[in-house]
Amino acid sequence: MHFLPEELDDYIVAHSEKEPELLAKLNRETHQKVMQPRMLSGHYQGRVLSMLSKIINPGNILEIGTYTGYSALCLAEGISANGQLHTIDVNEELYDLQRKYFDLSEYGQQIFQHLGDATEIIPKLQEKFDLVFIDADKPNYPTYFEHIIEKLNPGGILLSDNVLWSGKVIENVKDDDLSTQALLKYNKLLVEDHRLETVILPIRDGLTISRKKVN
């Protein structure tokens, strides 16, 4: 979803950091070979994720929703030298494509793939995280939050994608629209949770930045 005129959006992209060559190749391969390529974070949002990660310089990163690995590689650009990035996805058909690009990057040995249900995998992870990115099935966003909040270090950052859901969050919601219902619940949960400071950015389909308070 674009909130700005296309010409202004194009100007913003043109005057932002260029897409790294490896990510451009992954972008092209995703559009050529994978269904629903619009799920890809893409050039501009990828640079936003990269910039935020570099500012945070996280020790450990958790990503829920790998897709083809584009956003994981963007987030890895800010990871500390001894840090780890754990990324979870249910689609085993994309596993090898993800691994190919992870290993082509300089972060391959720091990126760990997990295949399966995130609600079952997250409780088994021993690590605590400085940065968490949620970009997976929308009906489970509130459930994912309950699983990760105690694993997020004080001062840690939670990034949540697609929180405006093509503007559906301000429309009349149909009874069978489980994704929008879940996002409305999730957005309310984040802004009302006393443990967090939260702001929504109107980037693409909406990106929330939530910081876990230190005290």
Side-chain angles (χ1 to χ4, degrees), residues 145 184-200 208 210 213:
F145 175 79
L184 287 169
K185 178 180 178 181
Y186 181 73
N187 291 340
K188 188 171 187 290
L189 185 156
L190 292 185
V191 77
E192 293 182 352
D193 194 303
H194 69 277
R195 295 168 291 185
L196 300 175
E197 300 167 283
T198 289
V199 62
I200 293 180
T208 296
S210 301
K213 296 176 183 177

Side-chain angles (χ1 to χ4, degrees), residues 56-61 78-85 110 128-131 153:
I56 298 162
N57 188 219
N60 291 322
I61 300 172
I79 200 168
S80 63
N82 298 316
Q84 297 181 351
L85 188 154
Q110 294 176 272
K128 291 292 186 75
F129 298 96
D130 301 307
L131 177 58
N153 285 324

